[in-house]
Amino acid sequence: MSERVKENKKSPAPVAAAKAEASLPVLGPLGMLRWAWTQLTSMRTALFLLLLLAVAAVPGSLFPQRPTNPFVVTQYIKDNGDYGKVLDKLQLFDVYSSAWFSAIYILLFISLIGCVVPRAIAHYKAMRSQPPRTPKRLSRLPEYGTLVVPADAGLPASDAINSAAGLLRKRGYRVEVRDDGGARPSLGAERGFAKEVGNLVFHTSLIGVLVSVAIGGLFGYSGQRILVEGDTFVNTLVGYDQFTPGTNFQSSQLQPYSIQLDKFDVTFDRESRGKLGQPIDFNAQVTTKESPDAPEKKETLKVNDPVTLGGTSIYLTGNGYAPVVTIRDGAGNVAMQGPVVAKLQGENYYSSVVIKVPDARPDQLGFVGFFLPTAFVTDEGISFSGDPGLFNPQLTLNSYYGDLGLDNGAPQNVFELDVKGLTPLNNRKLEAGGITLAPGSTYTLPDGKGSISFDGVKRYVGVDIHHNPGQVSALIFALLAVAGLIVSLYVNRRRVWVRTGTHEDGRTMVEYGLLARGEDHRLAAEAQAVRKLLTDEWQLDDSGSTQQTPSRLDDNGADSVTTPTGTAGPTKDQ
Amino acid sequence: MPFAINETMGAYSELLMLLAAGTYTVAFIAFAWDLAKSSKALRAIDLKAAEAAGASAGVKVPVAAGVGASAGAARGSVAAADRVDSHLAGPAGRAERPSSSAAKQAGAMSAAGQTADADMRYAAERRVPARVAVALTVLGVLIHGAGVVTRALGAGRVPWGNMYEFLTTGAFVAVAVFLLVLIRRDLRFLGTFVVGLAIVMLVAASVAYWTPVGHLVPALQSYWLIIHVSIAVMSSALFTLTFAMSALQLVQSHRQKTIAAGGGDKLGFMRLVPSALSLENLSYRINAIAFIGWTFTLMFGAIWAEKAWGRFWGWDTKEVWTFVIWVVYAGYLHARATRGWTGTRAAWLSIVGYLCVVFNFTIVNQFFNGLHSYSGL
Ligand code: HEM
């Protein structure tokens, strides 16, 4: 390892790579693989890939993304011509499923596995092996100190080491005593294996999170549905307005539960300055049934408070008004009756309305216009909604007749009416003018084409329905990861060595040293604690402290008289 | 149902915020005065020491040079000692981190050149302007805290529901965290930065983002708002400290190199600041806490997103940037364990991470459309 380190020391990764490339012919195919693997699982590559991942995630916030905003993306490409197409080719509208983003995180996770497995094995071995042998020169360790037990205390070197071993064991160290019958018995002790375990748990859990997310993508599904008060949704494919299956979705996964919207209430802010009319509470009363024959259950659906049913969760994500209309055709029959979902356009529930009446005879009818819960008209004749509440509801519509183009089976957006092939009946420029309706009023269309009545107003909600089988395990792994992270950052892996010896004058000389693996700012405190344990146990007076801060000074042997190292004469440095 | 709005409380709150900003401004001046004064005093002490040392030539220069050199030596020896028995060294290229004990030695040797020692414990010497500055900051934070509390009472909920409140409460937490750290560590050299930032945030809040007390939009009515946002704000406050320390670390390490190379010391005020290695070590420890906090922010955000929108992760702009920040700081933690990436490069990562935090808080909140667009603008 040290050789590789030397080789890599100065050269940044690319240079190192180039260098290694130069020597490839010598390596052979197997060597090359091994080399590539070593590179991939190196700390530097992990760091590089991590930073690359951060950079690669950014464009997804700069460009509209297909999964969340498909229409915006289409518009963006339309507006930007070739530039838009190039961006699309580069998958900048699908960043998080793009080949390059996937490549980065897959490489990162391969690197992670390549990292975790060998380390787990090495750590397992380390946990089962004895603490490392006692270094020759404890004084070189970052924390070092000496103690002297008077000759009359009756604590020979071997007893001292065993007593120290007992104390350290109590403190949670794993201890091995060496050569306790010899002239210079010593002990090696180690604790804090949890640090590495924590680190491994953390990294492994990240893999777990990724796998859980993948499972969600494979077997999950989601969909949307608009429910007007009184409507019932049944969890079947046809029940959805919009449905997004996971890659491995099967329709048999859908459990046919039902949910009915009984009532939807909105509370508007009537007190705060500047925010008057802002909604502050949405409350949907629903009746649910786990299956067609199950008993009914009353529940409340709110924002931030989904209803769970049949393995799915149902979220309140939108709402608005649905004016109820009755439309009679030229033949005098009711061609349509019911609520029309008005789409939010502006302030105070200013909403657009599109009504298509394909059943009207002799001509199909179409209406386009606006719904205003509290209608106001400015002096210039511009109407706006003055309040989100229903204080002066109004429908203003233009009408058309002709072929709506629905019969050829091509799907149409229900919120848009293509008026190209239609003949206008009502609008402001025509003699007949536009249609303005208040609740309870009826308007008769010109030319005997029929009539429209505005019967009342209901509310509707938009719900999102999600099923994600990977969710729970993702949470569990995330929690494991945090636990591992905390353990890894806050448990300290430390080693203690103690060596004793007998001075010519009969005193027992004790020296100890501490070493941390990795960052450990509390090592000095630990050294102090260990020292206190020993002095208390041996009833030494520690006021004339011989504690030494680690320093290179004692390497010159200046105070070697007091240390066993000194008595043993110079030892060869490691 | 939400509590009633109390406009009087709201008005008190705004007054208190202004008072706090005023107090901070005085504290800022005191901190700046301390920097100027201490650096002058230190220079005088150094000069005297140099004179006293007389022929033993250039005490000042080798002392400062010792910071870098001995730290390097210590780092080397710790690593060497550890390598004796660690055949499980892990992935290739893994570095031993510059340890605190190494920094301590470095600090001990350079103590003559700096007020704050390596541990950033308080030195015996009194710095009157700094004490005045801290006292004023404490006064400011009390007023500020009262402002935050009255805001909460006025709105009948936690005071972090729109940009105005994020800024005022965020500034309060930043200063409070700074003062809390001050109890244990002498980070008064960061005073101008932290207090200055708080002033900027308060002014921006009242000038550009002023919003009267009001109810929360339904999207924010959740106890996750309390958990998720409070942890995010606290982590950000810690990141603020480490950002300043990392920036100073870069300057300090440049200065140390210049001095070691025999160059002059043009940045006298930097004597007040600990050695680059000590800055690196303390900011690492703070960053580690903040990273755990940010991990929780990310997780709780995901849980909340699941509750509110039905999916725990959807790459919404705010989610993207929270993730980017998390990954950058994960990179920072890795860098500290990667050969060749400790020190200056790690400091840059910490700085980049903080810039992302600021970006996420300002630009993303304002100009990016996403599900999080409820900042009250
Ligand atoms: C998904 C990508 C990864 C993330 C988000 C990540 C994150 C982290 C974090 C936050 C830490 C610091 C906390 C701790 O000490 O446990 C860390 C430490 C570490 N990571 Fe990763 N890591 C990733 C991939 C890798 C890979 C691929 C490797 C192998 C080359 C690796 C090797 C290490 C090592 C050796 C440490 C311990 C450093 C030390 O404290 O001594 N990590 N990682």
Side-chain angles (χ1 to χ4, degrees):
Chain A
M1 162 140 179
S2 54
E3 278 143 293
R4 180 165 57 233
V5 167
K6 243 177 243 152
E7 173 193 288
N8 285 353
K9 198 145 85 198
K10 287 221 189 70
S11 44
V15 181
K19 260 193 210 158
E21 197 131 27
S23 58
L24 276 189
V26 195
L27 284 174
L30 205 71
M32 239 165 80
L33 267 180
R34 188 169 296 147
W35 172 83
W37 182 247
T38 316
Q39 290 301 309
L40 185 62
T41 55
S42 85
M43 202 66 185
R44 190 174 282 111
T45 311
L47 176 57
F48 174 72
L49 287 172
L50 265 175
L51 297 181
L52 202 60
L53 185 71
V55 173
V58 172
S61 72
L62 303 178
F63 299 104
Q65 297 295 299
R66 270 215 182 83
T68 39
N69 286 322
F71 301 115
V72 181
V73 171
T74 315
Q75 194 59 39
Y76 191 97
I77 298 176
K78 237 189 242 163
D79 294 349
N80 286 283
D82 286 342
Y83 172 64
K85 285 197 195 99
V86 170
L87 292 183
D88 198 17
K89 268 270 171 319
L90 293 174
Q91 301 179 302
L92 284 166
F93 302 118
D94 300 281
V95 167
Y96 305 107
S97 53
S98 70
W100 43 274
F101 191 78
S102 313
I104 294 170
Y105 76 75
I106 289 170
L107 272 179
L108 186 57
F109 276 88
I110 293 175
S111 164
L112 190 55
I113 294 167
C115 232
V116 163
V117 173
R119 281 180 65 194
I121 296 170
H123 189 59
Y124 179 72
K125 283 191 192 139
M127 278 167 71
R128 295 173 45 108
S129 61
Q130 290 302 334
R133 65 189 176 76
T134 317
K136 294 232 166 76
R137 287 199 180 196
L138 293 182
S139 58
R140 298 208 57 154
L141 297 175
E143 291 296 335
Y144 173 74
T146 58
L147 289 167
V148 180
V149 185
D152 54 16
L155 189 74
S158 61
D159 285 9
I161 210 75
N162 282 318
S163 139
L167 292 172
L168 285 172
R169 272 197 198 100
K170 249 192 233 145
R171 210 175 156 71
Y173 281 88
R174 223 184 40 209
V175 184
E176 189 193 35
V177 175
R178 287 118 193 202
D179 192 25
D180 63 341
R184 294 182 55 210
S186 72
L187 68 79
E190 186 162 17
R191 65 171 290 176
F193 291 94
K195 184 184 186 73
E196 184 78 356
V197 173
N199 186 299
L200 291 169
V201 167
F202 169 75
H203 285 89
T204 313
S205 305
L206 291 184
I207 303 175
V209 171
L210 189 77
V211 170
S212 311
V213 171
I215 288 175
L218 281 177
F219 300 102
Y221 58 82
S222 66
Q224 272 119 39
R225 169 68 195 254
I226 285 178
L227 287 172
V228 180
E229 284 169 318
D231 278 1
T232 302
F233 163 76
V234 180
N235 188 31
T236 54
L237 272 182
V238 292
Y240 287 91
D241 294 335
Q242 203 169 38
F243 190 77
T244 320
T247 334
N248 273 22
F249 169 80
Q250 255 124 30
S251 58
S252 57
Q253 272 178 264
L254 296 180
Q255 181 182 325
Y257 63 77
S258 67
I259 175 165
Q260 179 184 348
L261 178 65
D262 302 324
K263 192 161 170 8
F264 179 62
D265 293 308
V266 186
T267 312
F268 297 106
D269 192 344
R270 299 287 174 208
E271 357 175 51
S272 16
R273 263 182 301 161
K275 293 260 174 92
L276 287 182
Q278 180 186 284
I280 48 176
D281 190 41
F282 297 121
N283 188 319
Q285 314 283 333
V286 295
T287 305
T288 58
K289 283 207 278 186
E290 276 286 338
S291 63
D293 334 300
E296 287 188 347
K297 211 170 128 197
K298 297 268 179 211
E299 290 187 74
T300 310
L301 173 63
K302 295 182 72 144
V303 177
N304 278 318
D305 195 4
V307 164
T308 52
L309 201 59
T312 70
S313 299
I314 300 156
Y315 303 85
L316 179 58
T317 53
N319 71 92
Y321 288 109
V324 182
V325 295
T326 304
I327 292 161
R328 291 173 196 276
D329 61 12
N333 300 318
V334 173
M336 186 202 143
Q337 182 167 42
V340 180
V341 171
K343 201 176 164 197
L344 293 194
Q345 296 294 336
E347 298 260 303
N348 291 328
Y349 287 81
Y350 187 97
S351 326
S352 64
V353 174
V354 167
I355 309 170
K356 300 180 190 182
V357 197
D359 295 339
R361 297 290 175 275
D363 295 300
Q364 296 184 338
L365 297 170
F367 300 82
V368 181
F370 294 98
F371 170 76
L372 293 79
T374 303
F376 278 99
V377 183
T378 62
D379 294 342
E380 293 88 49
I382 299 167
S383 57
F384 66 97
S385 175
D387 193 277
L390 288 171
F391 293 111
N392 180 24
Q394 191 181 77
L395 259 179
T396 56
L397 298 169
N398 296 339
S399 67
Y400 302 85
Y401 73 93
D403 183 1
L404 295 177
L406 285 168
D407 303 332
N408 61 11
Q412 275 194 10
N413 187 338
V414 290
F415 295 111
E416 273 167 33
L417 179 67
D418 185 2
V419 298
K420 249 184 271 152
L422 303 177
T423 315
L425 266 176
N426 287 93
N427 67 43
R428 266 201 285 172
K429 288 183 205 117
L430 293 179
E431 200 189 325
I435 306 170
T436 304
L437 288 171
S441 62
T442 300
Y443 176 86
T444 309
L445 297 172
D447 306 337
K449 296 288 182 200
S451 70
I452 176 167
S453 320
F454 181 12
D455 305 333
V457 183
K458 287 186 172 185
R459 289 183 192 273
Y460 72 86
V461 299
V463 293
D464 277 20
I465 295 149
H466 290 264
H467 170 66
N468 187 341
Q471 198 156 284
V472 174
S473 62
L475 178 63
I476 291 171
F477 279 121
L479 288 172
L480 269 177
V482 188
L485 179 69
I486 293 173
V487 168
S488 144
L489 287 173
Y490 289 100
V491 170
N492 291 303
R493 179 120 173 240
R494 294 167 176 153
R495 289 165 185 177
V496 180
W497 290 277
V498 182
R499 184 183 281 127
T500 58
T502 311
H503 198 268
E504 285 145 17
D505 61 14
R507 292 179 300 169
T508 301
M509 317 300 285
V510 180
E511 63 169 349
Y512 60 86
L514 278 80
L515 176 69
R517 293 205 54 183
E519 176 84 8
D520 184 356
H521 61 277
R522 285 187 300 262
L523 190 65
E526 177 72 4
Q528 223 134 53
V530 168
R531 181 179 186 86
K532 187 160 184 321
L533 273 183
L534 295 179
T535 50
D536 285 357
E537 176 76 11
W538 299 334
Q539 287 163 1
L540 302 179
D541 175 19
D542 206 27
S543 52
S545 174
T546 44
Q547 165 108 26
Q548 285 155 23
T549 39
S551 71
R552 262 115 289 279
L553 295 180
D554 44 17
D555 276 349
N556 63 16
D559 52 0
S560 58
V561 194
T562 58
T563 70
T565 321
T567 41
T571 39
K572 217 172 128 229
D573 194 22
Q574 185 69 30
Chain B
M1 257 326 289
F3 292 95
I5 299 291
N6 183 336
E7 301 232 351
T8 324
M9 278 289 184
Y12 278 137
S13 167
E14 277 154 35
L15 187 68
L16 287 166
M17 296 291 181
L18 288 182
L19 269 176
T23 316
Y24 286 151
T25 310
V26 186
F28 179 86
I29 295 169
F31 273 124
W33 178 27
D34 171 50
L35 279 185
K37 187 165 173 260
S38 301
S39 84
K40 228 189 244 158
L42 283 174
R43 174 165 300 220
I45 292 169
D46 275 2
L47 284 179
K48 235 181 248 159
E51 264 161 37
S56 63
V59 166
K60 183 178 137 205
V61 173
V63 161
V67 177
S70 71
R75 198 184 294 195
S77 74
V78 173
D82 201 29
R83 234 179 281 126
V84 170
D85 45 71
S86 64
H87 297 297
L88 51 138
R94 188 168 169 193
E96 283 304 326
R97 276 177 299 224
S99 79
S100 298
S101 54
K104 205 186 307 158
Q105 290 156 37
M109 290 178 196
S110 66
Q114 273 136 353
T115 17
D117 73 346
D119 260 359
M120 296 177 217
R121 307 263 181 212
Y122 285 91
E125 170 215 2
R126 288 174 60 148
R127 275 152 59 195
V128 177
R131 290 187 161 207
V132 172
V134 172
L136 282 168
T137 313
V138 171
L139 180 64
V141 92
L142 290 177
I143 301 174
H144 195 166
V148 170
V149 170
T150 42
R151 176 81 185 183
L153 293 175
R157 57 175 170 79
V158 289
W160 48 81
N162 53 48
M163 205 63 190
Y164 173 84
E165 292 168 356
F166 294 148
L167 278 168
T168 48
T169 307
F172 169 74
V173 173
V175 177
V177 165
F178 171 64
L179 288 175
L180 285 179
V181 178
L182 275 192
I183 296 174
R184 302 279 313 274
R185 294 281 187 271
D186 186 0
L187 295 189
R188 288 177 297 181
F189 57 90
L190 292 180
T192 41
F193 171 77
V194 175
V195 173
L197 183 77
I199 297 170
V200 169
M201 287 170 80
L202 283 177
V203 170
S206 348
V207 174
Y209 298 102
W210 179 79
T211 320
V213 281
H215 292 300
L216 284 178
V217 295
L220 292 184
Q221 290 170 14
S222 165
Y223 54 89
W224 286 107
L225 173 74
I226 303 168
I227 304 170
H228 170 69
V229 180
S230 61
I231 294 181
V233 171
M234 279 190 277
S235 312
S236 305
L238 291 174
F239 284 140
T240 304
L241 293 185
T242 58
F243 161 75
M245 291 166 76
S246 299
L248 285 176
Q249 180 193 334
L250 291 180
V251 178
Q252 190 70 298
S253 109
H254 176 76
R255 171 172 169 262
Q256 282 170 202
K257 264 192 216 126
T258 318
I259 295 175
D265 183 4
K266 282 190 225 97
L267 302 165
F269 68 92
M270 287 298 289
R271 280 164 222 231
L272 209 58
V273 176
S275 73
L277 186 59
S278 326
L279 284 170
E280 182 185 347
N281 280 322
L282 189 60
S283 60
Y284 168 75
R285 276 155 55 192
I286 300 180
N287 263 340
I289 301 172
F291 180 77
I292 293 175
W294 200 256
T295 309
F296 277 119
T297 305
L298 191 80
M299 266 179 59
F300 293 152
I303 297 174
W304 189 8
E306 197 280 321
K307 275 225 167 274
W309 305 317
R311 84 290 182 291
F312 61 89
W313 199 260
W315 296 109
D316 179 65
T317 38
K318 199 85 184 172
E319 290 172 350
V320 170
W321 280 93
T322 304
F323 174 77
V324 167
I325 292 163
W326 188 78
V327 173
V328 170
Y329 280 105
Y332 166 84
L333 292 183
H334 270 208
R336 284 267 309 176
T338 306
R339 220 172 279 281
W341 273 81
T342 56
T344 306
R345 287 186 183 180
W348 274 115
L349 282 179
S350 163
I351 291 172
V352 168
Y354 188 68
L355 294 182
C356 292
V357 171
V358 171
F359 186 83
N360 192 22
F361 183 69
T362 54
I363 312 289
V364 174
N365 274 6
Q366 269 191 76
F367 300 110
F368 286 38
N369 273 320
L371 291 165
H372 282 81
S373 307
Y374 40 58
S375 47
L377 296 171

